[in-house]
Amino acid sequence: ALAPGQICAFYDGDELIVDRAIKPEHGRIVIAAVDGELTVKRFFQRDGVVKLIAENPKHRDIELKKGQEMMIWGVVARIIKSV
């Protein structure tokens, strides 16, 4: 599995292998549904703050606000690169 904090780069056409048995801990890349929309981001959880951090600077981070719904679908365990 990708280690928490490990550099992660994936592109269109790459395949993500997701393991639903891995605990979504701080620093892991996760597949999450936020208010019904799926996203792939790094999970941040510290001092009661929960964020989903974008690896790509072109995309925004998501800081969960009161009343927002988030469900972690799984943790990215492997990335298969497209050639």
Side-chain angles (χ1 to χ4, degrees):
L2 294 173
Q6 183 175 350
I7 293 173
C8 176
F10 55 89
Y11 303 94
D12 284 343
D14 291 352
E15 295 182 33
L16 304 179
I17 306 299
V18 178
D19 189 337
R20 297 192 74 181
I22 298 173
K23 183 180 177 188
E25 58 190 36
H26 177 81
R28 293 216 181 256
I29 301 295
V30 299
I31 307 290
V34 178
D35 293 333
E37 255 186 71
L38 286 177
T39 189
V40 180
K41 301 213 188 293
R42 190 171 298 275
F43 185 62
F44 176 97
Q45 185 176 29
R46 288 285 188 258
D47 301 322
V49 175
V50 176
K51 296 181 189 179
L52 295 169
I53 307 295
E55 293 291 293
N56 184 332
K58 293 180 183 178
H59 297 276
R60 65 178 180 82
D61 296 344
I62 299 171
E63 183 169 350
L64 273 103
K65 310 241 184 310
K66 192 172 186 167
Q68 275 190 303
E69 289 186 26
M70 179 183 73
M71 183 176 87
I72 303 288
W73 281 33
V75 174
V76 175
R78 301 258 188 277
I79 300 171
I80 299 173
K81 296 298 203 178
S82 178
V83 291

